[in-house]
Amino acid sequence: MATASVAFKSREDHRKQIELEEARKAGLAPAEVDEDGKEINPHIPQYMSSAPWYLNSEKPSLKHQRKWKSDPNYTKSWYDRGAKIYQAEKYRKGACQNCGAMTHTAKACMDRPRKIGAKYTNKNIAPDEKIESFELDYDGKRDRWNGYDPSTYHRVIDLYEAKEDARKKYLKEQQIKKLEEKNNNQEGEDAAASDGDEEEDDLRVDEAKVDESRQMDFAKVEKRVRTTGGGSTGTVRNLRIREDTAKYLLNLDINSAHYDPKTRSMREDPLPDADPNDKFYLGDNQYRNSGQALEFKQMNIHSWEAFDKGQDMHMQAAPSQAELLYKNFKVAKDKLKTQTKDTIMEKYGNASTEDEIPMELLLGQSERQVEYDRAGRIIKGQEVILPKSKYEEDVLANNHTSVWGSWWKDHQWGYRCCQQTIRNSYCTGAAGIEAAEASLDLMKANIARKEACEDIPKQVEEKRMAAWGTDVPEDLELNEEALANALKKEDERKREEKDERKRKYNVKYTNDVTPEEMEAYRMKRVHHEDPMKDFM
């Protein structure tokens, strides 16, 4: 393990440090301790504050992290709202000109603007506010409830309790009024009593209705509805029964059926081993592939296929038409299937209506008895004849002892007996194999000898043509007439270069240069190194 590198002032200090470490290892010197009084492990680098957690087997900790201690400068306290620290009696220099407090200026003053400020009246001087500054830690900066006073929630509780008391008081007054009216009416006591009971029941029903309406607000889901005007808000009620157990709570095992929270779907059965009679949820796949859902899916598929074949129908645009056409299609399909079945039965007959096939033919059994000896030879009875195919089997031709395709080499089939890859060839046996190997070795030896004896080809000097070279060979023969024509063309070209106006629009150039044209170019060109060039 790596050790810390320490800089020493001299070799003597280094030697003393080594002796001290050896004494500590031998137990003759006290061990070195850190700031907390713990023994320092000499095998751990000195730049680490403490040993990693995997070296401390006593208890798990996070001391190996970079900042495992909380900074004492950080705090989670909050401002003391409304606290005052000092009440002055006279205006002080530098204080607020409006209220007289030293903790803010007139621009940031939150008091009512006075007609004449405290600077000029020296009356009603406002006390100084308590100014605090906190250095919050990571959690403190992101705490939404930091500085919240829980005692303020009593106001909400008192408000709800006051509403509940007022409602009970109103219901009690209504009941008292009904009872007084019932006592005043002497006639028809039974009818009055029954009416009173009904009215009391009505009051209870009304109270229940109010509670239900409040509870129904929790089931509302506000969704955006697309409109041409830019969108509006619609209310969609959640129709799920609250008493039902949620599908993702039926089996809390992690390896059970997967639940997708985005689509709220659980395709597999969460309780596959439970009794089917006790289960009310079998997975979304069970409901999609059973009942009317399967029929609806088949109807959709039929509408798609009919639309692809050119029929004008659409499941979403005209569902009644699609359903009617699907019913007609099923009737026609059943009728065609029955007609096809009757045609086949008329032609081939119905084997199910005839006599039953004997069991011997069904199971392949018979009364024939065959006896064998210990070697497997037949003693009594007849051997079972195996059925053969229409192709020839085990037919050996041209003196071969194996069939074609019994040997494979270098992506070629052949005979195993002579290793020949030519079909219908005559078998040569082991001698043919040896001859083939000897010819292969001879061919390899010839190739190696040819590569060894192959000479390096001599480099042929390229002869440049006189038309493209700079030096004219001595044996060059020129045509006098062609040379005269080339000199005329060279003079015309020089005149065209001097006067651009006489240059023709369609200029034709050729890449083929003859020796006469090259000689004319040499004769007409300017020789800069010639001292008599100005007199030419």
Side-chain angles (χ1 to χ4, degrees), residues 213 215-222 234-240:
S213 64
Q215 291 178 1
M216 288 172 70
D217 291 339
F218 291 99
K220 288 183 179 179
V221 180
E222 300 291 340
T235 302
V236 180
R237 294 193 179 276
N238 192 354
L239 301 179
R240 184 174 70 84

mmCIF file of all heavy atoms in Angstrom, residues 213 215-222 234-240:
data_model
loop_
_atom_site.group_PDB
_atom_site.id
_atom_site.type_symbol
_atom_site.label_atom_id
_atom_site.label_comp_id
_atom_site.label_asym_id
_atom_site.label_seq_id
_atom_site.Cartn_x
_atom_site.Cartn_y
_atom_site.Cartn_z
ATOM 1 N N SER A 213 -71.058 15.089 -1.759
ATOM 2 C CA SER A 213 -70.622 16.084 -2.741
ATOM 3 C C SER A 213 -69.220 16.575 -2.430
ATOM 4 O O SER A 213 -68.416 16.831 -3.323
ATOM 5 C CB SER A 213 -71.609 17.258 -2.759
ATOM 6 O OG SER A 213 -71.598 17.926 -1.507
ATOM 7 N N GLN A 215 -66.938 14.776 -0.879
ATOM 8 C CA GLN A 215 -66.010 13.696 -1.205
ATOM 9 C C GLN A 215 -65.825 13.545 -2.706
ATOM 10 O O GLN A 215 -64.754 13.174 -3.171
ATOM 11 C CB GLN A 215 -66.516 12.382 -0.617
ATOM 12 C CG GLN A 215 -66.455 12.348 0.911
ATOM 13 C CD GLN A 215 -67.015 11.060 1.468
ATOM 14 O OE1 GLN A 215 -67.417 10.198 0.695
ATOM 15 N NE2 GLN A 215 -67.046 10.930 2.779
ATOM 16 N N MET A 216 -66.878 13.840 -3.473
ATOM 17 C CA MET A 216 -66.764 13.683 -4.922
ATOM 18 C C MET A 216 -65.797 14.694 -5.528
ATOM 19 O O MET A 216 -65.290 14.493 -6.626
ATOM 20 C CB MET A 216 -68.134 13.826 -5.580
ATOM 21 C CG MET A 216 -69.051 12.625 -5.306
ATOM 22 S SD MET A 216 -70.706 12.898 -5.889
ATOM 23 C CE MET A 216 -70.444 12.861 -7.639
ATOM 24 N N ASP A 217 -65.555 15.792 -4.836
ATOM 25 C CA ASP A 217 -64.593 16.761 -5.355
ATOM 26 C C ASP A 217 -63.190 16.170 -5.423
ATOM 27 O O ASP A 217 -62.381 16.581 -6.243
ATOM 28 C CB ASP A 217 -64.585 18.020 -4.471
ATOM 29 C CG ASP A 217 -65.896 18.785 -4.613
ATOM 30 O OD1 ASP A 217 -66.577 18.564 -5.640
ATOM 31 O OD2 ASP A 217 -66.230 19.570 -3.713
ATOM 32 N N PHE A 218 -62.901 15.211 -4.530
ATOM 33 C CA PHE A 218 -61.568 14.611 -4.554
ATOM 34 C C PHE A 218 -61.370 13.718 -5.777
ATOM 35 O O PHE A 218 -60.255 13.427 -6.148
ATOM 36 C CB PHE A 218 -61.342 13.783 -3.287
ATOM 37 C CG PHE A 218 -61.223 14.642 -2.060
ATOM 38 C CD1 PHE A 218 -62.297 14.821 -1.222
ATOM 39 C CD2 PHE A 218 -60.031 15.274 -1.773
ATOM 40 C CE1 PHE A 218 -62.188 15.610 -0.095
ATOM 41 C CE2 PHE A 218 -59.910 16.069 -0.645
ATOM 42 C CZ PHE A 218 -60.998 16.243 0.198
ATOM 43 N N ALA A 219 -62.439 13.243 -6.392
ATOM 44 C CA ALA A 219 -62.341 12.352 -7.545
ATOM 45 C C ALA A 219 -62.294 13.095 -8.862
ATOM 46 O O ALA A 219 -62.252 12.477 -9.913
ATOM 47 C CB ALA A 219 -63.525 11.383 -7.555
ATOM 48 N N LYS A 220 -62.355 14.456 -8.827
ATOM 49 C CA LYS A 220 -62.326 15.224 -10.066
ATOM 50 C C LYS A 220 -60.902 15.267 -10.618
ATOM 51 O O LYS A 220 -59.940 15.375 -9.874
ATOM 52 C CB LYS A 220 -62.820 16.650 -9.837
ATOM 53 C CG LYS A 220 -64.318 16.740 -9.608
ATOM 54 C CD LYS A 220 -64.746 18.193 -9.463
ATOM 55 C CE LYS A 220 -66.238 18.300 -9.248
ATOM 56 N NZ LYS A 220 -66.662 19.692 -9.089
ATOM 57 N N VAL A 221 -60.797 15.184 -11.918
ATOM 58 C CA VAL A 221 -59.518 15.291 -12.606
ATOM 59 C C VAL A 221 -59.653 16.363 -13.665
ATOM 60 O O VAL A 221 -60.461 16.229 -14.585
ATOM 61 C CB VAL A 221 -59.101 13.948 -13.249
ATOM 62 C CG1 VAL A 221 -57.772 14.100 -13.948
ATOM 63 C CG2 VAL A 221 -59.026 12.862 -12.194
ATOM 64 N N GLU A 222 -58.913 17.447 -13.515
ATOM 65 C CA GLU A 222 -58.984 18.545 -14.482
ATOM 66 C C GLU A 222 -58.052 18.233 -15.646
ATOM 67 O O GLU A 222 -56.870 17.954 -15.456
ATOM 68 C CB GLU A 222 -58.554 19.865 -13.819
ATOM 69 C CG GLU A 222 -59.427 20.252 -12.622
ATOM 70 C CD GLU A 222 -60.829 20.647 -13.038
ATOM 71 O OE1 GLU A 222 -61.006 20.976 -14.216
ATOM 72 O OE2 GLU A 222 -61.739 20.606 -12.193
ATOM 73 N N GLY A 234 -61.876 20.904 -18.952
ATOM 74 C CA GLY A 234 -63.039 20.054 -18.716
ATOM 75 C C GLY A 234 -62.826 19.198 -17.496
ATOM 76 O O GLY A 234 -61.704 18.940 -17.078
ATOM 77 N N THR A 235 -63.901 18.719 -16.896
ATOM 78 C CA THR A 235 -63.852 17.905 -15.688
ATOM 79 C C THR A 235 -64.141 16.460 -16.053
ATOM 80 O O THR A 235 -65.171 16.178 -16.663
ATOM 81 C CB THR A 235 -64.854 18.405 -14.652
ATOM 82 O OG1 THR A 235 -64.561 19.763 -14.366
ATOM 83 C CG2 THR A 235 -64.751 17.582 -13.385
ATOM 84 N N VAL A 236 -63.221 15.565 -15.691
ATOM 85 C CA VAL A 236 -63.396 14.144 -15.933
ATOM 86 C C VAL A 236 -63.419 13.449 -14.585
ATOM 87 O O VAL A 236 -62.468 13.578 -13.811
ATOM 88 C CB VAL A 236 -62.258 13.590 -16.813
ATOM 89 C CG1 VAL A 236 -62.465 12.107 -17.063
ATOM 90 C CG2 VAL A 236 -62.187 14.351 -18.123
ATOM 91 N N ARG A 237 -64.480 12.732 -14.302
ATOM 92 C CA ARG A 237 -64.611 12.071 -13.000
ATOM 93 C C ARG A 237 -63.976 10.680 -13.054
ATOM 94 O O ARG A 237 -64.104 9.973 -14.049
ATOM 95 C CB ARG A 237 -66.084 11.961 -12.592
ATOM 96 C CG ARG A 237 -66.703 13.316 -12.334
ATOM 97 C CD ARG A 237 -68.044 13.176 -11.635
ATOM 98 N NE ARG A 237 -68.621 14.496 -11.375
ATOM 99 C CZ ARG A 237 -68.322 15.234 -10.337
ATOM 100 N NH1 ARG A 237 -67.450 14.805 -9.463
ATOM 101 N NH2 ARG A 237 -68.894 16.409 -10.163
ATOM 102 N N ASN A 238 -63.326 10.337 -11.981
ATOM 103 C CA ASN A 238 -62.707 9.027 -11.866
ATOM 104 C C ASN A 238 -63.758 8.036 -11.406
ATOM 105 O O ASN A 238 -64.324 8.179 -10.312
ATOM 106 C CB ASN A 238 -61.551 9.088 -10.871
ATOM 107 C CG ASN A 238 -60.685 7.852 -10.925
ATOM 108 O OD1 ASN A 238 -61.011 6.899 -11.619
ATOM 109 N ND2 ASN A 238 -59.586 7.867 -10.199
ATOM 110 N N LEU A 239 -64.049 7.019 -12.225
ATOM 111 C CA LEU A 239 -65.127 6.079 -11.947
ATOM 112 C C LEU A 239 -64.651 4.847 -11.199
ATOM 113 O O LEU A 239 -65.409 3.896 -11.061
ATOM 114 C CB LEU A 239 -65.783 5.661 -13.263
ATOM 115 C CG LEU A 239 -66.370 6.816 -14.089
ATOM 116 C CD1 LEU A 239 -66.960 6.278 -15.364
ATOM 117 C CD2 LEU A 239 -67.416 7.567 -13.296
ATOM 118 N N ARG A 240 -63.414 4.819 -10.746
ATOM 119 C CA ARG A 240 -62.934 3.635 -10.024
ATOM 120 C C ARG A 240 -63.560 3.579 -8.645
ATOM 121 O O ARG A 240 -63.686 4.593 -7.948
ATOM 122 C CB ARG A 240 -61.412 3.686 -9.889
ATOM 123 C CG ARG A 240 -60.827 2.433 -9.222
ATOM 124 C CD ARG A 240 -59.324 2.473 -9.251
ATOM 125 N NE ARG A 240 -58.808 3.491 -8.366
ATOM 126 C CZ ARG A 240 -58.618 3.309 -7.052
ATOM 127 N NH1 ARG A 240 -58.929 2.143 -6.499
ATOM 128 N NH2 ARG A 240 -58.138 4.263 -6.311
#
